[in-house]
Amino acid sequence: MSTAVMDRSEIEVNQNLAGEVLSQMKQTKEAKASKINVKDLNLFYGEKQALFGVSLDILENEVTALIGPSGCGKSTFLRTLNRMNDLIDGVKITGDIVIDHENIYKTNDVIKLRTKVGMVFQKPNLFPMTIYDNVAYGPRMQGIKNKNELNKIVEESLRGAAIWDEVKDRLKTSALGLSGGQQQRVCIARAIAMKPDVILMDEPTSALDPISTLKVEELIANMKEDYTIVIVTHNMQQAARISDKTAFFLNGEVVEYDDTDNIFSTPKDQRTEDYVTGRFG
Amino acid sequence: MVIRENFENNLNELKRKINEMGKLSIDALEKAYNALETQDVEIALKVIEEDTDVDNLENEINQFAIWLMAKEQPVARDLRVIIGVLKISSGIERIADFAVNIAKATIKIGKTNSLLQTTHLEQMKELSILMLQKALQSFSEEDIVLAKEVSELEDKVDQYNVETYKILTTYLSEHPEETNQLVQLLFVNRYLERTADHITNIAESAAYLIKGQIYDFNQ
């Protein structure tokens, strides 16, 4: 009997410890402030409605992943966060998106918004210029002319994007000579150079090989200390690896939005379960 | 179109193998008890010999489960099925080992005037087999009610275990000449109690698969 009793008490102790750790983790999560608050967002491309009553609270210094099948509205949603959809004719938006207490659809200063909310796209889209000029482009447009200051921004940004060591000796060569994975990290550096608060990423690794993908993932995980990151990804394991929260989109609606570990271990909605286990369709 | 049909078939195959392993260990328990009851060393030796089948099946299941995890990167319910299979196979393997222990006790007792009828060991064995059937069914049919029934039955086994311990130790103080058989029966009492504990863990794995929460039925 004594061994049995010992087994059980050991289990109890372990469970109590696990419980404490979990509740501490929860408390840390709860302590984070809301960065982007989206309320009842509807978006129409002409007659066709693409987003239906989306409400999400995106927390500061977290990575939030948006997942869902093609055409579910996740990229459309991502682009509403820095008003990229304004560039498309016939787009109508209702609802509210508040970033740092400011309704971004009630401001006229879109430039300021896009400085604050940077974006990285699916395919590296560097300008046909040197690596240095690519990263310095934004700050120069903002009027920074001082060479020392620009040097500092370029170095800090490239370091922040974990690419400095690979390019520091070739800053004055064409950025297009870099590999796909390096180009994508320079794109991230270019976004960082604008000192944004939020970085939006639209499938940033889908054009990269597995090793480059892992480097970018590692970078994203480290970047959340300084930035709030929202990422669209088709790679569910990637969402599971790098994000704190995951939103599952389907037909323009958010089916489920929860801590990433819940979405991938015990999703509440059957449609989420079917999607994350690859049985969708 | 059913997506991941192959993976689905693999998961069903894993569940089928778990049931097969469960049946082997139930068979081992039945045989071991039968050997103890009839003091039949031949049957006891057979139980020891056949334990290899259970061990081999456990290996096969583990390798299959590990390969599926590497290949399919399962999440959510799929992951819980595989985790459940790994834990349950190890539980069933332990149960079959207890059957072997009972068989060894039988050999040590040898031919003598059996005191088995004075104990509740038969009830404990019957309850354990019922529990194991329910736990396995709970896992394969994802039925939470059955998992909870298992934990209720375990309380009865514990009760019989305490009573049998008292009966045997009291008898021992009065009949020291029966020490050999009584000590072996005390061991069997302990093996059956541990068997029921392992079966309860299997029911917990079933409950984890069904509800996605970690349960402790042993409390």
Side-chain angles (χ1 to χ4, degrees), chain A residues 1-4 7-8 11-12 15 237 240-241 263-267 270 273 276-281, chain B residues 1 3-4 7-8 11 73 75-78 80 154 158 161 190 193-194 197 211-212 214 216 218-219:
Chain A
M1 287 300 285
S2 64
T3 320
D7 284 350
R8 283 176 203 170
I11 289 168
E12 262 172 44
Q15 277 180 343
Q237 299 301 325
R241 279 194 294 268
I263 294 283
F264 288 95
S265 59
T266 49
Q270 186 61 42
E273 171 100 33
V276 298
T277 57
R279 283 180 184 72
F280 200 82
Chain B
M1 186 183 107
I3 303 180
R4 300 192 97 177
F7 181 35
E8 192 80 47
L11 289 178
Q73 305 188 341
V75 294
R77 183 172 297 264
D78 297 339
R80 299 205 298 276
E154 197 217 359
D158 283 347
N161 170 58
R190 165 86 177 132
E193 188 268 334
R194 294 297 293 141
D197 271 357
K211 294 283 185 189
I214 293 172
D216 186 3
N218 273 322
Q219 281 185 337

Side-chain angles (χ1 to χ4, degrees), chain A residues 150-170:
Chain A
L150 281 174
N151 285 348
K152 191 167 166 250
I153 292 173
V154 169
E155 180 173 344
E156 276 176 359
S157 305
L158 288 166
R159 280 191 191 281
I163 182 94
W164 172 252
D165 288 339
E166 290 164 59
V167 299
K168 64 181 178 203
D169 299 325
R170 52 196 283 203

